[in-house]
Amino acid sequence: MPLQPFVYAEWKKARVNLDYHIELGGHYYSTPYQLVGKELDVRSTSGTVEIFHQGKRVASHVRSSKPHVATTNAAHRPKSHQEYLQWTPTRILSWAGKVGPFTARLVESIMTSKPHPEMGYRSALGVIRLDRKYGAERLEAACTRAVRMKIYRFQSVKSMLESGLDRQPLPELVFMPSPVTHENLRGPDYYAAEEPRREVV
């Protein structure tokens, strides 16, 4: 008989997000920040989560069943991330407002769509950082389009900029046509004015 009981484990691949966390079962687990953007192997059991890069284990966490919450190892944070920890919704909105009003509206919608604003920080800061590559004018144009279309997602704004959609004219708003009035047309008020007549046989 083996000394240790058999432990059932599942394997999956997960990509490291901008905040150096991977997602598993709705919970977020940290990895070394140097692995942002990398696709890693994740081994999970009922009690632990192990994360591997090229066959080497780079992180291990106690498994959590709490959704939309992060388990973070402080050693995984870059030194510069200490500034990130000081971000508040007000500060993020202030920075977004420097790009333009629609950028601020989009960022605010991203944060308010989450149960806790902190969960939207990654996407909100991702939107703002697009300014570095595309400039404030193009970013504001993309955010204007996204807000008009009620698409409040970082990836959608990024795709617009990558494809140049932000440089295209905004689609015209579609309005319902006004009711047509004519002396020979009976409106709904005509039928509501009188009770239906019954014929007596």
Side-chain angles (χ1 to χ4, degrees), residues 47-66:
T48 61
V49 172
E50 297 175 289
I51 305 171
F52 296 82
H53 178 236
Q54 297 179 347
K56 178 182 177 181
R57 190 174 75 174
V58 294
S60 179
H61 300 281
V62 175
R63 185 159 189 177
S64 174
S65 59
K66 295 181 180 179

Side-chain angles (χ1 to χ4, degrees), residues 10-39:
E10 291 184 344
W11 288 85
K12 67 169 288 186
K13 291 188 179 295
R15 191 170 298 278
V16 183
N17 290 315
L18 291 174
D19 60 359
Y20 55 84
H21 286 68
I22 59 102
E23 184 272 330
L24 179 69
H27 193 86
Y28 305 98
Y29 300 91
S30 67
T31 70
Y33 72 91
Q34 297 93 336
L35 299 176
V36 167
K38 301 289 186 182
E39 189 175 64

Side-chain angles (χ1 to χ4, degrees), residues 98-146:
K98 294 177 182 178
V99 176
F102 282 94
T103 302
R105 284 180 60 183
L106 179 77
V107 165
E108 182 179 23
S109 296
I110 289 174
M111 291 193 293
T112 56
S113 68
K114 306 294 184 182
H116 301 287
E118 293 82 357
M119 295 170 56
Y121 284 8
R122 182 184 69 221
S123 295
L125 291 174
V127 169
I128 296 170
R129 290 190 182 111
L130 292 171
D131 177 23
R132 300 177 184 174
K133 183 174 182 180
Y134 297 100
E137 184 177 351
R138 289 194 62 191
L139 176 56
E140 176 68 3
C143 289
T144 300
R145 180 179 291 270

Side-chain angles (χ1 to χ4, degrees):
M1 294 291 292
L3 297 178
Q4 299 292 335
F6 173 77
V7 177
Y8 175 75
E10 291 184 344
W11 288 85
K12 67 169 288 186
K13 291 188 179 295
R15 191 170 298 278
V16 183
N17 290 315
L18 291 174
D19 60 359
Y20 55 84
H21 286 68
I22 59 102
E23 184 272 330
L24 179 69
H27 193 86
Y28 305 98
Y29 300 91
S30 67
T31 70
Y33 72 91
Q34 297 93 336
L35 299 176
V36 167
K38 301 289 186 182
E39 189 175 64
L40 307 181
D41 295 304
V42 182
R43 179 181 183 271
S44 61
T45 68
S46 60
T48 61
V49 172
E50 297 175 289
I51 305 171
F52 296 82
H53 178 236
Q54 297 179 347
K56 178 182 177 181
R57 190 174 75 174
V58 294
S60 179
H61 300 281
V62 175
R63 185 159 189 177
S64 174
S65 59
K66 295 181 180 179
H68 312 304
V69 178
T71 296
T72 306
N73 183 334
H76 294 159
R77 295 184 175 124
K79 292 181 180 179
S80 60
H81 190 69
Q82 295 304 315
E83 182 181 356
Y84 171 81
L85 297 176
Q86 299 172 5
W87 281 102
T88 63
T90 301
R91 187 179 178 192
I92 292 175
L93 285 175
S94 176
W95 192 12
K98 294 177 182 178
V99 176
F102 282 94
T103 302
R105 284 180 60 183
L106 179 77
V107 165
E108 182 179 23
S109 296
I110 289 174
M111 291 193 293
T112 56
S113 68
K114 306 294 184 182
H116 301 287
E118 293 82 357
M119 295 170 56
Y121 284 8
R122 182 184 69 221
S123 295
L125 291 174
V127 169
I128 296 170
R129 290 190 182 111
L130 292 171
D131 177 23
R132 300 177 184 174
K133 183 174 182 180
Y134 297 100
E137 184 177 351
R138 289 194 62 191
L139 176 56
E140 176 68 3
C143 289
T144 300
R145 180 179 291 270
V147 170
R148 289 274 298 273
M149 300 177 69
K150 298 183 179 180
I151 303 174
Y152 307 112
R153 293 190 299 270
F154 161 72
Q155 285 296 339
S156 298
V157 174
K158 183 180 178 183
S159 296
M160 290 179 190
L161 292 165
E162 289 175 341
S163 65
L165 187 59
D166 59 289
R167 291 172 166 166
Q168 301 299 318
L170 283 170
E172 294 294 330
L173 293 178
V174 178
F175 295 98
M176 292 297 292
S178 301
V180 178
T181 57
H182 191 276
E183 59 182 0
N184 292 332
L185 293 177
R186 299 174 180 177
D189 294 337
Y190 173 86
Y191 297 96
E194 299 181 5
E195 290 291 330
R197 298 177 181 179
R198 297 180 180 177
E199 294 184 2
V200 178
V201 179

